[in-house]
Amino acid sequence: MMRLLGLLIVRIGLLAAVNQATAQAIVFKATVDRKVALADKWRFRAGDSIEWASPIYKDQHWIAVAPSVDLDENPQLWQAKRGWFRQTFRLRRLTHQDLMLTIRQFGRSEVFLDGQRLAILKPVHYDSGGSQRVVALLPIRIADTNQHTLAVRYAFRPDLLIGTVIDKDPFRLDIDPWDQAGLKLLDQEQIAAGLSGLLVGVFGLLSLLHWLFYRANPAQAVHRVLSATMLAFTLTFLTDYAEHYIGTLTLDSLRGALSQLGINAAFALLLLAVYTYLDRRPGWVFWSLVVVQMGSAGYAVVVARLPDNLVWVPFVGVLIDYIRVSWLAKRHVPDPDARLPWNSLRVTLLALVAVVPMAILMSLLVRQFKLGAGQDWVIIPVLMLFLLALFSIPIGLSLSLVRDYARTYRTLQDKLCQVDQLSTQALIQEQEKQLLLTRQNDELERQVTERTAELTHSLTTLRTTQQQLIQKEKMASLGELTAGIAHEIQNPLNFVNNFSEVSDELVDELQAQQHRLVPDRALETELLDDLKQNLQKITQHGKRASAIVKGMLEHSRSSQGNREWVDINVLAKEYFQIAYQGQRAKDKDFTAELTTNFGAALPRLEVIPQEIGRVLLNLYTNAFYAVRQKQKTAVTDYTPRITLETCLMDGHTQIRVGDNGTGMAESVKAKIFQPFFTTKPTGEGTGLGLSLSYDIVTQGHGGLLLVESQVGNGSKFIIELPNASMSIS
């Protein structure tokens, strides 16, 4: 397809130089006395016979086919793999006798002029599977204007095919003056290479630019589609350009398949691009055209070439739908940028209309000024117009997006000017504000100085008050501890006092017996035994009081903050009893059900006993307070219950203190460890007990202090201490 487009471009461009042959007097005349180019109307016959080189051989029954027709489009040659081409010609006048045959062929050939073999043209590695391309210049001399016969014995090597598309013609043969043949060949190759390079470069650059635009702004999906479209065109032109350098049918069939797929994909993507640009959803028309497009490509690649009268159908369908969508956008979309695809179509039409008069004008210039070889620049305007018509549609979409960016840039520039104006106004206002702020800052500095002095005084007072409250909390804890210990000591002291009074009475009674004339020895013995028992009881309860005092002294010694290895069960139980006795000392009517469940084989922990004791005492006291408050408001069958449990949990020792008291709401639970937060009435609590307990457990011993509570169902505090020894943080 693209090869046909390229040939069309070259042929239209060469209209301007059609009379160069006349200027050089190399004009051929056929047997019917009609001017023809040497590339037209050859006679061909498949097979091989040396007699066919003779000028007297009659070839009227041969078929008329040019050697520039592709191999697969000449069925007889394609099947036989060899054949002969013949043409007769004569020179109108002799201006040059020394001529040059320029031959560009695929395969091998023998060239005969009037029955005489001029040359055998064969690639070096023709028989070993190498390239079959040959370019040769053959000098000839024609010294008359008689009729001459040019015969070419041609054959090609049938290579393995990958696809069905073959773009290889047998050969091209030109006759030129010997001093101009090389220059003409070079000009033609330069034009072909330059045109192909231009197309590959332009579309490759557009593909890269659209991809960069898409990466910069992924929201505009049209850039991604256009990048793929331009890349498909680039690969198509690149494969077509490679046709001039491919020397085997295998590679050419692969190139032809890629070219067919590329050009059909490019047109399908081009249609998708205009749909995307105009923000239209592809419907059944679009998908039908895509199916036809890719189906025709697949048929051409796998089955056979499409007939010449059907090749253009998919492409024309795409262009018609392109025109339809662009026209709908022009009529129904108020945005003027939506008309840009339609404008690109108008450019295409105008360029096509201008091609014909431009070609005629170039032809007149050639005739008038007798421009010859080396003046191929005259075809440039025609080529440019044709390229403009051919590629204004895909490039028009790119220009539309460029215009969008330009409009956005102008909008941003206008807004930037507005921002500059606003900035100038803001600067003036800022200067005015600075003057006002300077005055206000002076006033604020004076006020800040006064407020700072007041805050400093308030902070000093607050710290003093905080220290007093902390000391009060400590004294409250000490009071709880002292009350409990005093109650514990009071019991043995009561026994000592009671037995002392009884013993005193027994001594008085014993003395009375001694003053009798006849003492009762049995009664004296009984009194002495009772007195001895009383003394033993006094000794026993005295030792008990001594043990309590000794334990108190031990706690006093531990108050220095030294760590000791303790049995946590013993420590929890001891402070549990002290707290209960302290509560009983404050409230004689208070009774509660105490439940303990000490875990077996708990490890000894390295803690500060006095600090942990303070935490436990605080939790016990809070539990007693909670059940006492509920007892005051509860029904008569309510029984206060305090539970104490110890256990092992995931490598930690837990102490759980629970009650069935009033419980706490979630809002209270969230704040109970905050300093100075308390739910007790004013004067009954400082709000520091749980805060200090939390710091002792978490910071002093690396543990956790947790709480579980429900309103009306009681609370449970959990102390979790690590089993390994911890250093004071």
Side-chain angles (χ1 to χ4, degrees):
M1 177 65 183
M2 294 308 300
R3 181 173 180 270
L4 294 176
L5 292 175
L7 289 176
L8 183 59
I9 294 172
V10 174
R11 288 182 179 180
I12 292 177
L14 290 179
L15 287 174
V18 70
N19 289 323
Q20 290 186 12
T22 304
Q24 301 301 325
I26 308 298
V27 177
F28 305 100
K29 199 171 186 181
T31 54
V32 295
D33 199 22
R34 181 174 56 87
K35 296 180 181 179
V36 296
L38 197 57
D40 295 338
K41 300 303 180 184
W42 289 66
R43 295 287 184 174
F44 171 78
R45 179 177 180 180
D48 188 20
S49 174
I50 194 64
E51 296 179 357
W52 298 345
S54 173
I56 62 174
Y57 180 79
K58 303 300 182 181
D59 56 8
Q60 288 82 359
H61 60 284
W62 289 17
I63 63 175
V65 58
S68 58
V69 175
D70 290 339
L71 291 172
D72 58 341
E73 294 182 0
N74 186 343
Q76 297 183 8
L77 176 61
W78 184 251
Q79 293 177 4
K81 307 299 185 293
R82 61 180 61 247
W84 283 73
F85 290 91
R86 287 170 53 94
Q87 189 180 80
T88 58
F89 68 93
R90 67 177 59 186
L91 301 181
R92 177 179 298 177
R93 57 183 180 272
L94 292 176
T95 303
H96 293 80
Q97 295 182 350
D98 295 328
L99 304 175
M100 189 75 72
L101 284 179
T102 303
I103 300 179
R104 288 167 286 182
Q105 73 177 31
F106 179 85
R108 68 184 303 273
S109 66
E110 296 182 36
V111 182
F112 295 86
L113 181 62
D114 296 332
Q116 301 296 320
R117 185 166 61 188
L118 298 179
I120 299 177
L121 303 179
K122 174 182 176 183
V124 178
H125 302 291
Y126 175 80
D127 297 325
S128 60
S131 173
Q132 300 190 62
R133 295 180 66 251
V134 177
V135 177
L137 297 174
L138 301 180
I140 61 174
R141 185 175 180 82
I142 298 179
D144 55 56
T145 58
N146 298 329
Q147 179 173 291
H148 299 275
T149 301
L150 188 63
V152 179
R153 186 183 195 180
Y154 176 78
F156 69 92
R157 184 184 68 239
D159 296 328
L160 175 67
L161 299 182
I162 296 177
T164 63
V165 180
I166 301 297
D167 284 333
K168 289 297 183 185
D169 47 3
F171 63 87
R172 293 173 181 267
L173 190 148
D174 297 310
I175 300 180
D176 299 286
W178 69 272
D179 57 345
Q180 298 180 12
L183 180 60
K184 180 180 177 181
L185 176 63
L186 181 61
D187 287 344
Q188 292 175 351
E189 293 296 326
Q190 285 179 340
I191 292 174
L195 182 61
S196 299
L198 174 65
L199 296 176
V200 172
V202 168
F203 282 89
L205 182 60
L206 288 175
S207 175
L208 177 60
L209 288 176
H210 282 295
W211 176 250
L212 293 177
F213 282 137
Y214 171 72
R215 292 296 301 271
N217 186 9
Q220 287 192 328
V222 65
H223 284 298
R224 179 177 57 186
V225 180
L226 276 176
S227 178
T229 303
M230 299 307 175
L231 181 61
F233 275 115
T234 302
L235 296 178
T236 302
F237 293 134
L238 189 61
T239 54
D240 288 336
Y241 178 66
E243 189 270 335
H244 300 285
Y245 304 98
I246 291 177
T248 65
L249 290 178
T250 302
L251 293 178
D252 191 72
S253 61
L254 175 61
R255 183 209 59 77
L258 294 177
S259 179
Q260 284 288 331
L261 295 175
I263 189 61
N264 282 275
F267 270 79
L269 288 170
L270 179 63
L271 186 59
L272 177 61
V274 75
Y275 270 88
T276 306
Y277 178 76
L278 298 176
D279 198 21
R280 296 181 63 89
R281 185 182 182 89
W284 65 270
V285 175
F286 171 82
W287 294 113
S288 300
L289 289 173
V290 170
V291 170
V292 171
Q293 195 83 31
M294 302 316 295
S296 63
Y299 181 87
V301 171
V302 178
V303 182
R305 279 181 181 267
L306 287 173
D308 292 340
N309 57 349
L310 295 179
V311 171
W312 54 271
V313 172
F315 302 99
V316 172
V318 168
L319 293 178
I320 292 175
D321 194 44
Y322 187 103
I323 295 172
R324 180 184 68 86
V325 173
S326 302
W327 174 255
L328 291 177
K330 175 180 179 296
R331 292 190 59 186
H332 302 295
V333 180
D335 187 0
D337 286 335
R339 302 181 179 182
L340 293 176
W342 178 256
N343 293 336
S344 66
L345 289 172
R346 292 197 304 175
V347 172
T348 301
L349 180 61
L350 292 175
L352 286 176
V353 171
V355 164
V356 176
M358 181 60 69
I360 296 174
L361 177 61
M362 292 298 103
S363 178
L364 294 176
L365 289 175
V366 170
R367 286 179 176 272
Q368 181 67 29
F369 299 102
K370 301 185 181 301
L371 299 178
Q375 302 294 331
D376 291 333
W377 58 266
V378 295
I379 69 172
I380 292 179
V382 177
L383 289 176
M384 295 302 294
L385 284 174
F386 193 85
L387 290 177
L388 179 62
L390 191 62
F391 301 116
S392 59
I393 293 178
I395 296 178
L397 282 178
S398 300
L399 295 178
S400 300
L401 292 172
V402 170
R403 180 176 176 181
D404 290 344
Y405 276 106
R407 185 180 64 174
T408 303
Y409 173 77
R410 287 193 298 269
T411 303
L412 291 176
Q413 192 174 24
D414 294 340
K415 291 183 177 180
L416 183 60
C417 292
Q418 296 176 3
V419 169
D420 289 338
Q421 295 176 357
L422 293 175
S423 299
T424 303
Q425 297 176 0
L427 181 60
I428 297 174
Q429 295 176 357
E430 186 66 23
Q431 291 174 351
E432 296 175 352
K433 290 180 180 179
Q434 287 297 330
L435 296 175
L436 181 60
L437 287 175
T438 301
R439 301 190 188 97
Q440 293 179 349
N441 285 337
D442 295 338
E443 180 65 21
L444 287 175
E445 286 180 1
R446 185 185 61 79
Q447 295 179 1
V448 167
T449 302
E450 295 176 356
R451 296 289 178 86
T452 301
E454 295 175 1
L455 290 175
T456 302
H457 177 71
S458 300
L459 181 60
T460 303
T461 304
L462 180 61
R463 287 177 177 172
T464 303
T465 305
Q466 183 179 10
Q467 294 297 328
Q468 293 174 354
L469 289 174
I470 292 174
Q471 187 65 26
K472 182 180 178 181
E473 181 66 27
K474 291 183 178 179
M475 294 304 294
S477 299
L478 182 60
E480 296 286 344
L481 181 62
T482 303
I485 293 175
H487 198 277
E488 284 287 313
I489 295 176
Q490 187 65 40
N491 288 332
L493 287 179
N494 288 338
F495 281 109
V496 170
N497 292 333
N498 292 335
F499 283 115
S500 296
E501 292 175 359
V502 172
S503 297
D504 185 56
E505 293 175 357
L506 290 176
V507 170
D508 292 340
E509 190 175 350
L510 183 59
Q511 287 177 350
Q513 287 293 329
Q514 288 179 350
H515 288 88
R516 288 184 181 182
L517 295 176
V518 182
D520 188 350
R521 300 298 179 185
L523 180 58
E524 290 180 356
T525 302
E526 183 179 354
L527 291 174
L528 290 172
D529 289 339
D530 290 340
L531 183 59
K532 183 178 181 180
Q533 290 179 0
N534 288 344
L535 292 174
Q536 289 176 350
K537 294 290 186 180
I538 290 171
T539 302
Q540 177 183 354
H541 289 286
K543 289 182 179 180
R544 181 183 173 190
S546 177
I548 293 173
V549 173
K550 182 179 179 181
M552 219 178 141
L553 292 175
E554 289 179 354
H555 287 298
S556 177
R557 287 193 299 270
S558 66
S559 64
Q560 299 176 357
N562 295 328
R563 287 178 173 267
E564 299 179 12
W565 292 95
V566 299
D567 187 338
I568 205 67
N569 287 338
V570 174
L571 185 65
K573 181 179 180 181
E574 180 180 353
Y575 276 90
F576 197 28
Q577 294 174 350
I578 292 174
Y580 182 64
Q581 295 301 333
Q583 184 67 27
R584 287 288 301 255
K586 293 191 298 182
D587 188 356
K588 299 296 184 180
D589 298 331
F590 177 75
T591 58
E593 179 183 329
L594 305 181
T595 304
T596 58
N597 183 14
F598 297 109
L602 292 181
R604 296 175 70 86
L605 300 181
E606 186 183 19
V607 298
I608 303 175
Q610 189 265 350
E611 297 290 342
I612 297 298
R614 284 183 61 191
V615 175
L616 291 171
L617 189 61
N618 185 274
L619 297 182
Y620 298 151
T621 303
N622 288 344
F624 291 139
Y625 179 82
V627 297
R628 183 59 176 156
Q629 292 298 114
K630 187 173 182 179
Q631 190 179 34
K632 293 178 180 179
T633 58
V635 294
T636 55
D637 60 348
Y638 171 71
T639 301
R641 185 180 300 107
I642 310 296
T643 60
L644 173 62
E645 300 176 277
T646 60
C647 64
L648 285 176
M649 184 66 65
D650 297 331
H652 294 77
T653 298
Q654 287 190 355
I655 307 172
R656 302 176 179 178
V657 180
D659 64 74
N660 63 343
T662 56
M664 292 179 289
E666 292 295 328
S667 59
V668 176
K669 283 173 56 179
K671 297 185 288 185
I672 58 172
F673 295 125
Q674 296 179 4
F676 308 110
F677 177 79
T678 180
T679 59
K680 296 179 181 179
T682 304
E684 294 188 22
T686 61
L688 293 173
L690 287 175
S691 174
L692 293 174
S693 300
Y694 185 83
D695 292 341
I696 290 172
V697 173
T698 58
Q699 299 180 15
H701 292 80
L704 295 174
L705 180 56
L706 309 173
V707 62
E708 300 174 357
S709 182
Q710 291 183 352
V711 177
N713 293 328
S715 303
K716 178 182 289 185
F717 285 85
I718 302 172
I719 302 173
E720 186 174 282
L721 297 173
N723 290 337
S725 62
M726 299 290 296
S727 61
I728 300 176
S729 60

